[in-house]
Amino acid sequence: MTEVNTPPRAGTPPRVGRWTCLVTTRPRLSLLVALVLTALAVLAGSGVADRLGAGGWEDPAAESTYATKALEREFPGSQPNLLLLVDAGDASVDDPAVAAGAERLAERLANEKGVTGVGSYWQSGTPALRAEDGHEALIAARITGDEKAAGETLERIAPHYRGAHGPVEVTVGGPVAVRHEMQTVIQEDLTRAELIALPVTLVLLVMVFGSAVAALLPLGIGIVAILGTNAILRGLTELTDVSVFAINLTTALGLGLAVDYALFIVRRFREELSTGAEPLTAIGTTLRTAGRTVLFSALTVAVSLAAMLVFPQYFLRSFAYAGIAVVLLAAAAALILLPAALILLGHRVNSLDLRRLFRRGHRPKPAEEEGRAWARSASLVMRRAPFFALGTTAVLVLLGLPFLGVKFGTADDRQLPSTSESHVVQQHIRDGFPGSPGGGLEVLAEGRATEAQYGAYKERIAGLPEVQRVDGPLVKGDSAYFTVLPKGEAVDDPAQRLVGDLREVGAPFDTKVTGTAAVLVDSKDAIGERLPLAVVFITIVTLLLVFLLTGSVLIPIQAVVLNALSLTAMFGAVVWIFQDGHLSGLLGFTSPGSIETTLPVLMFCVAFGLSMDYGVFLLSRIKEEYDRTGDHDQAVRHGLRRTGGLITAAAVILAVVMVAIGTSRVTNTKMLGLGIALAVLMDAMIVRSLLVPAVMRLTGRATWWAPGPLRRFHARFGLSEAEQPEPARTPEPARDKVGTRG
């Protein structure tokens, strides 16, 4: 039977799609259910930050992880995580009064519940525990239990040891103190970032929309996404470890992407209303066009974040959990709750136009004039396409050159402000103690052996060129361990080479090497082994999704290459600023001289996904116009005209959120926020505005080519913005063609 298109009779509701009917049939009920679920999410997600961990950089299947757990079990004192820095002032640590006071502190610490393996300079006489100037020395111990239990123990005992005790002054440090202080600082910084980002975002949205009513909608969607993701993370902490850093990504992406999605949907809805469409018809058109694009965009971002699941470190996996959850929740809220709100508001979505307070009698621009500057810019770029293509590519490559000198390291106390107590303790140890105490390597020996065999093995490792001293062995049953102090820094290149040398030394028993440098070596190996898989996964799925969107073979390749190129400035800036220490005074951080190993992977996945987010919005509008007119150049100009300003506004808002996150006092969080803010702005203002139109002009109509089998595949499974052209109407130049079939 042939379907005949007939105009609706008077009084008949406009024909809309099934999804539009579903989300707009009972809009009040939909919003009420969302309000109830959001309230439940607040309750479910409360206290989530207290259950998150501050570690997660190690590979759980690595040799160093196995050795660390074995040493914790068999020799709890071998790896102290609590350090008390005892300062004797002008006296010597060998002064009898000082020694007596320090020994009382050590004895008292040994009697604390949850503390084991207490040792000190005054008990062992180990030179590594005494400062070179003789005025400071260390008491070392291990707080048992997982991160949460260790943090609770530290909170309980630290106030009783910190401060003056007779002739000495005590400060508290060590890895457990660093982790605990980092969690506290991140929670405080996140609250401050939200207080900065929310009002600034609202002001920017008012500037974009004019209407205060329209501006509040994206903000509401973002809050729903953030609260929902916090509840999901709280549930995940019952099943697996989740990093405290992930909560920063939740706030940034939840607010940023929700604003992006709501911006495009509200803008398209208002655009349809301006042409005279009724609210229900406008919602139907909006969901068929901008709504489908939002869904595709969310999938591309989620795919980029999902690539972090291939890595074993729970630090990276946590960002995948949080990122995927917040992206899907933001898209769901934008596609379910936002249409319900818009159908209730109707034309009132334009209410409370605050911009008229500043117009002083000037009338706003007509709708057909909006975006003309972007159209003129696109025309200029396309006329000089070779110049802009080569010039912008050269600039981006030049900005990325500092990354060629990247050095990878581990996150330590220097992530914290220089005034934090645990940072001060570790800095005193680095500057004043010999041989990096606490930064040595431990060699676990398993298997029965004689004293002579242990002695011969100790001589072999003592003869390695990078070894300063070997202590041990300490034997317990069939296990023993040696402590190896490297000559240089705990994680510099010689220390990392020493890890490999130790693992190659032959022994009549099984040996496993752990320690800070060993964890770094194993983490780098795990990332290097799985990085190609992550890149291939992102590339293949992105190529497929963009092909389903456009039906072109060339556009997906362009999208992947240009997106990767847009990240060069971010990576170059990360090394130039955070590794080399430029602007460290201005930005308020201490450069460790390296980049934490997992950070580039995280930043790549997040920034690549956000770049694809903007790319999908631009390409979908270009494709819609190309399908309508068949004019390639006009389609590119039209796409930039309709989305250029909106993409830039969305990028600025997201950059504001990321900069707010970048005000954190923790260096990794600062690096993540400021780096991604730079990547987003470079992508929106350079790549989308200059490079994309230049490259598409150079490729011309060949941009849309695909072989026959792929064309048929796209016709069956691909995304089509304009489903069926209306035969009886010719669209106005300022309005985009939309279909009549739901």
Side-chain angles (χ1 to χ4, degrees):
M1 180 180 293
T2 304
E3 181 179 352
V4 179
N5 291 321
T6 58
R9 291 174 297 178
T12 302
R15 191 177 180 196
V16 295
R18 287 188 294 272
W19 182 253
T20 306
C21 290
L22 179 65
V23 298
T24 59
T25 299
R26 290 181 173 81
R28 290 182 177 83
L29 179 60
S30 298
L31 295 177
L32 178 61
V33 170
L35 182 61
V36 172
L37 292 177
T38 302
L40 293 176
V42 172
L43 296 176
S46 61
V48 61
D50 296 330
R51 299 182 62 85
L52 302 178
W57 292 283
E58 69 279 354
D59 176 5
E63 174 183 318
S64 57
T65 305
Y66 171 85
T68 298
K69 292 180 178 179
L71 288 170
E72 288 176 356
R73 183 177 61 252
E74 301 295 334
F75 306 96
S78 65
Q79 295 181 312
N81 57 10
L82 175 65
L83 298 175
L84 301 185
L85 179 65
V86 180
D87 186 352
D90 294 332
S92 168
V93 294
D94 296 315
D95 184 277
V98 172
E103 287 174 356
R104 285 193 298 270
L105 283 173
E107 182 179 355
R108 179 178 158 196
L109 183 62
N111 292 325
E112 297 282 0
K113 183 180 179 181
V115 178
T116 186
V118 178
S120 70
Y121 162 72
W122 296 274
Q123 292 172 321
S124 65
T126 304
L129 298 179
R130 181 182 185 273
E132 293 175 341
D133 64 5
H135 298 302
E136 293 176 329
L138 294 173
I139 299 174
R142 182 164 191 85
I143 298 180
T144 58
D146 58 19
E147 287 184 14
K148 186 175 186 298
E152 292 173 350
T153 301
L154 180 71
E155 282 186 335
R156 175 172 55 83
I157 68 174
H160 302 296
Y161 293 88
R162 182 182 295 119
H165 294 270
V168 299
E169 185 82 17
V170 177
T171 48
V172 180
V176 69
V178 171
R179 285 197 300 266
H180 184 266
E181 197 164 1
M182 196 174 293
Q183 286 178 305
T184 303
V185 170
I186 286 175
Q187 292 179 43
E188 295 172 353
D189 291 347
L190 183 61
T191 301
R192 186 182 68 252
E194 290 171 344
L195 293 176
I196 295 172
L198 289 174
V200 174
T201 298
L202 180 59
V203 170
L204 292 174
L205 287 170
V206 169
M207 293 174 63
V208 172
F209 284 126
S211 161
V213 174
L216 286 171
L217 293 174
L219 207 59
I221 297 299
I223 293 172
V224 168
I226 292 170
L227 295 176
T229 304
N230 284 343
I232 291 175
L233 289 179
R234 174 63 178 80
L236 284 172
T237 59
E238 299 291 341
L239 305 174
T240 185
D241 293 319
V242 181
S243 172
V244 69
F245 290 95
I247 202 168
N248 293 286
L249 186 71
T250 296
T251 299
L253 288 186
L255 189 56
L257 289 177
V259 166
D260 284 358
Y261 299 155
L263 265 175
F264 281 88
I265 289 178
V266 174
R267 176 67 174 269
R268 188 61 182 256
F269 177 72
R270 296 176 76 193
E271 187 179 316
E272 294 300 321
L273 288 181
S274 69
T275 64
E278 292 299 317
L280 185 59
T281 304
I283 282 289
T285 302
T286 299
L287 290 179
R288 284 197 305 271
T289 54
R292 290 186 176 186
T293 304
V294 163
L295 180 60
F296 252 64
S297 173
L299 290 176
T300 58
V301 178
V303 163
S304 295
L305 297 172
M308 287 185 284
L309 292 174
V310 307
F311 298 99
Q313 293 91 338
Y314 86 72
F315 175 80
L316 288 175
R317 298 174 71 88
S318 299
F319 284 95
Y321 304 146
I324 294 172
V326 77
V327 167
L328 297 182
L329 282 174
L335 296 175
I336 298 174
L337 303 183
L338 192 56
L342 291 174
I343 203 69
L344 289 175
L345 288 171
H347 290 277
R348 287 174 295 180
V349 73
N350 297 315
S351 301
L352 299 179
D353 187 353
L354 301 181
R355 289 185 299 189
R356 62 186 176 185
L357 300 176
F358 306 98
R359 289 183 185 134
R360 298 181 180 180
H362 295 291
R363 297 179 62 186
K365 292 182 179 180
E368 61 271 13
E369 293 186 12
E370 291 186 6
R372 282 191 173 180
W374 286 99
R376 289 194 294 269
S377 173
S379 297
L380 172 63
V381 170
M382 294 169 74
R383 285 197 301 271
R384 303 286 187 272
F387 169 78
F388 282 100
L390 294 175
T392 52
T393 299
V395 169
L396 291 173
V397 170
L398 183 64
L399 292 175
L401 288 179
F403 192 72
L404 297 177
V406 65
K407 298 177 182 177
F408 294 109
T410 57
D412 58 20
D413 60 283
R414 286 170 287 192
Q415 295 287 316
L416 292 167
S418 59
T419 56
S420 68
E421 184 181 24
S422 56
H423 185 166
V424 170
V425 170
Q426 296 301 129
Q427 195 61 48
H428 273 255
I429 293 173
R430 272 190 295 269
D431 294 341
F433 285 73
S436 300
L441 297 168
E442 287 83 28
V443 181
L444 172 67
E446 294 181 309
R448 189 171 298 277
T450 64
E451 184 177 344
Q453 289 174 323
Y454 285 137
Y457 178 71
K458 180 177 180 178
E459 289 182 5
R460 284 196 292 271
I461 59 178
L464 295 175
E466 301 298 339
V467 172
Q468 176 175 306
R469 192 178 74 251
V470 182
D471 295 329
L474 183 61
V475 182
K476 182 179 179 182
D478 291 340
S479 299
Y481 83 92
F482 300 82
T483 300
V484 182
L485 291 181
K487 290 181 178 178
E489 291 289 334
V491 293
D492 60 8
D493 290 339
Q496 294 180 53
R497 289 195 299 269
L498 178 58
V499 172
D501 293 340
L502 287 172
R503 288 173 174 172
E504 292 176 359
V505 174
F509 36 75
D510 292 332
T511 61
K512 301 287 190 297
V513 180
T514 187
T516 308
V519 171
L520 174 59
V521 169
D522 291 340
S523 180
K524 288 167 63 176
D525 290 344
I527 289 176
E529 179 183 342
R530 293 166 176 82
L531 185 60
L533 177 60
V535 172
V536 169
F537 173 76
I538 290 177
T539 302
I540 291 177
V541 180
T542 300
L543 290 173
L544 177 61
L545 288 174
V546 178
F547 171 76
L548 291 175
L549 176 69
T550 63
S552 162
V553 170
L554 189 57
I555 288 180
I557 298 173
Q558 289 179 358
V560 170
V561 173
L562 298 186
N563 275 11
L565 193 60
S566 71
L567 308 184
T568 54
M570 175 186 72
F571 285 123
V574 160
V575 171
W576 190 78
I577 295 174
F578 291 97
Q579 175 182 294
D580 299 341
H582 298 100
L583 307 182
S584 59
L586 177 64
L587 297 178
F589 69 92
T590 302
S591 172
S594 61
I595 302 297
E596 203 284 317
T597 313
T598 58
L599 256 294
V601 176
L602 168 63
M603 297 177 75
F604 171 80
C605 292
V606 174
F608 188 90
L610 293 175
S611 297
M612 281 304 307
D613 180 47
Y614 298 133
V616 164
F617 283 117
L618 175 59
L619 291 174
S620 65
R621 209 62 189 261
I622 293 175
K623 175 68 163 55
E624 183 181 349
E625 182 68 8
Y626 183 75
D627 287 345
R628 188 178 71 87
T629 65
D631 187 331
H632 173 72
D633 290 353
Q634 170 60 23
V636 175
R637 283 191 293 269
H638 179 84
L640 272 175
R641 177 176 181 175
R642 287 301 189 188
T643 65
L646 208 55
I647 287 175
T648 301
V652 169
I653 291 172
L654 181 56
V656 165
V657 176
M658 297 308 303
V659 168
I661 297 296
T663 62
S664 172
R665 291 165 291 171
V666 176
T667 304
N668 273 358
T669 306
K670 187 187 297 290
M671 187 188 311
L672 178 67
L674 298 182
I676 292 179
L678 176 62
V680 165
L681 292 176
M682 293 295 293
D683 182 77
M685 297 181 177
I686 303 298
V687 175
R688 303 297 153 205
S689 303
L690 302 177
L691 198 53
V692 169
V695 171
M696 293 190 79
R697 177 65 180 87
L698 292 174
T699 54
R701 290 181 61 87
T703 302
W704 306 99
W705 176 85
L710 289 181
R711 285 199 304 271
R712 291 188 291 272
F713 178 84
H714 179 265
R716 183 172 181 181
F717 299 105
L719 171 69
S720 177
E721 294 282 8
E723 297 175 274
Q724 282 185 345
E726 296 179 5
R729 294 182 59 188
T730 301
E732 298 175 2
R735 185 183 177 189
D736 301 313
K737 190 66 174 176
V738 298
T740 59
R741 181 167 59 86

